[in-house]
Amino acid sequence: MGLAGLGLAGCGVRARGQALGVARGDGPADGLGEVARARGITFGTAVQGELLGQDPLYAAAVATEAQLLVPEWEAKWDALQPREGEFDLGPLGVVAEFARAQRKQLRGHALVWHQAMPDWLAPALAEGATRARGVLAAHIQAVLGATQPVIRDWDVVNEVLANPPGSRFTAQTPARGVFRDTPWLRALGPDYIDLALRLARERDPTLRLTINDYGLEGDTPWAEQKRQAMLALVRALLQARCPLDAVGLQAHLQVDEPFRPEPLAGFIQGLRGMGLAVLITELDCRESANLPPGLEARDAAVAAYVQQVVGTALAAGCRTVLTWGLSDRDSWLIRDPDVSRRDGQQHRGHPLDAAFRRKAMWQALARSFAGG
Ligand code: XIL
């Protein structure tokens, strides 16, 4: 397949982050990563490789605040294998090089997902199970072969569960039983989950294998159903002796969603009881449909909500927290029509504001990490 030299070290990307000034902002000198590390917790963020290279303020904020990075796009299928058999590790290499230069850890996202699929992929999967298995194996082989030296934790499967009836996502998410209806499911049935995990373990025996999903945090009937579906899936995989190490809770939170600590804590403890680690992988927070007046009140509402959820998760034994970006400026919450506001306002759902100043959510995370 001509994959020789795919290693990230050979991608020719120059270190750009070495001489970064450290943006101290208006809080204590330490970034969130340091505050967390003092308590044995790892804090990280999703990053965009292009901004790391081009925007010193952005790069400095990442360098200051995060210990762990995950590429927002660069490790998805359409980035890694835009044409069948042609792997492009350039964009991921930019992120990996920044991580190396700044001594940050890196996690991978995502080996199997129903979005960010290159044009050729769904038609290939539709050709049948044998072809689908081949395509999956080739991708996992090539990608993990290249990333093994630098990525020790991957979201192997992302968003495989359906949203239960009644959830606010139901209209956009066709389901087959508890599973999301995707080209992978249509080609291989739910076994694709088991297969992806086994292929990953085979290729990289000490890699942490994570199942990642959203909508698992709230106190609603449908979130509870989704939690039960996740517990059942994990139980079934473990019973089948399928390798699995962790569950990622995306935690794309919404201030308007009811929350109570007990359901989330019980869920996390249930997963930990089965021997798995639990991570918060994509934390951000959409604001209320009815915004309180003034930025201070808005930020306080986000901070209070985030602190409840993160505090609960940490108390239940979660030891890794990543936000889906650090600043409001670069977030999908303002870019993506599915999640952005329709009233002309922009969500303030990240620890830093659009000018990279620390907000109440930053303080809430710092307090949660410090155990307060
Ligand atoms: C999002 C990106 O942030 C967007 O820019 C992109 O348009 C769509 O994907 N769950 C995930 C992430 O697992 O990969 C998604 O990232 C956000 C939801």
Side-chain angles (χ1 to χ4, degrees):
M1 287 210 302
L3 297 181
L6 235 172
L8 289 173
C11 69
V13 175
R14 290 176 50 78
R16 281 184 161 133
Q18 272 150 347
L20 292 171
V22 172
R24 284 296 180 207
D26 46 340
D30 284 345
L32 286 174
E34 290 298 327
V35 177
R37 184 153 65 179
R39 293 301 179 100
I41 298 160
T42 304
F43 174 75
T45 182
V47 293
Q48 299 167 26
E50 224 168 76
L51 290 177
L52 288 174
Q54 291 171 5
D55 183 338
L57 202 57
Y58 177 94
V62 173
T64 302
E65 301 290 355
Q67 304 285 348
L68 170 64
L69 312 182
V70 61
E72 185 169 343
W73 299 306
E74 293 82 348
K76 293 173 179 173
W77 267 77
D78 55 358
L80 289 176
Q81 200 183 166
R83 282 162 299 280
E84 186 167 13
E86 281 180 38
F87 291 84
D88 181 2
L89 290 171
L92 179 56
V94 172
V95 177
E97 182 49 36
F98 182 91
R100 189 199 62 75
Q102 295 291 326
R103 297 198 176 83
K104 309 296 185 190
Q105 298 167 52
L106 198 55
R107 67 187 308 271
H109 171 86
L111 290 173
V112 180
W113 192 33
H114 63 282
Q115 288 187 32
M117 294 173 83
D119 291 345
W120 64 270
L121 182 54
L125 299 179
E127 286 171 29
T130 308
R131 175 93 164 100
R133 273 190 220 103
V135 161
L136 181 62
H139 189 77
I140 289 179
Q141 286 285 336
V143 172
L144 293 191
T147 61
Q148 183 164 34
V150 287
I151 298 183
R152 305 308 309 139
D153 175 17
W154 264 94
D155 290 330
V156 178
V157 292
N158 191 34
E159 302 181 350
V160 300
L161 292 176
N163 291 309
S167 83
R168 65 186 189 281
F169 304 114
T170 308
Q172 309 130 40
T173 54
R176 285 201 190 175
V178 297
F179 296 103
R180 182 186 295 270
D181 189 9
T182 73
W184 290 107
L185 188 83
R186 287 193 284 274
L188 294 167
D191 284 352
Y192 79 90
I193 300 165
D194 182 284
L195 178 64
L197 288 161
R198 286 181 201 274
L199 287 166
R201 175 57 42 92
E202 226 166 78
R203 183 67 189 82
D204 186 346
T206 59
L207 179 69
R208 175 147 88 174
L209 310 177
T210 301
I211 291 187
N212 197 45
D213 217 320
Y214 67 87
L216 296 161
E217 301 84 14
D219 182 25
T220 58
W222 64 265
E224 182 56 27
Q225 279 181 51
K226 203 164 176 179
R227 283 190 287 268
Q228 293 307 324
M230 179 62 89
L231 287 168
L233 171 61
V234 166
R235 215 173 285 124
L237 289 168
L238 295 179
Q239 239 157 34
R241 298 190 171 278
C242 178
L244 175 65
D245 303 304
V247 169
L249 315 181
Q250 290 186 6
H252 292 295
L253 305 178
Q254 305 199 23
V255 165
D256 285 338
E257 183 161 81
F259 180 78
R260 243 176 353 114
E262 293 76 15
L264 178 61
F267 175 57
I268 293 174
Q269 282 153 1
L271 292 168
R272 294 188 68 232
M274 290 191 271
L276 300 186
V278 179
L279 297 72
I280 289 182
T281 50
E282 304 185 14
L283 174 68
D284 55 26
C285 189
R286 278 164 247 179
E287 294 184 78
S288 176
N290 304 307
L291 291 176
L295 292 187
E296 208 173 308
R298 285 175 57 178
D299 290 351
V302 167
Y305 194 90
V306 165
Q307 191 166 346
Q308 283 192 81
V309 177
V310 173
T312 299
L314 293 173
C318 163
R319 280 294 161 273
T320 303
V321 177
L322 297 105
T323 51
W324 203 241
L326 284 174
S327 110
D328 296 331
R329 190 195 71 179
D330 309 302
S331 170
W332 76 314
L333 293 185
I334 64 169
R335 261 191 334 258
D336 192 318
D338 287 342
V339 290
S340 59
R341 299 186 68 89
R342 283 147 208 236
D343 60 0
Q345 299 285 336
Q346 296 190 333
H347 285 300
R348 296 172 60 87
H350 292 264
L352 307 180
D353 71 10
F356 292 86
R357 287 179 298 240
R358 292 171 174 173
K359 293 190 309 186
M361 180 174 159
W362 188 100
Q363 311 292 345
L365 288 173
R367 268 196 306 276
S368 305
F369 297 149

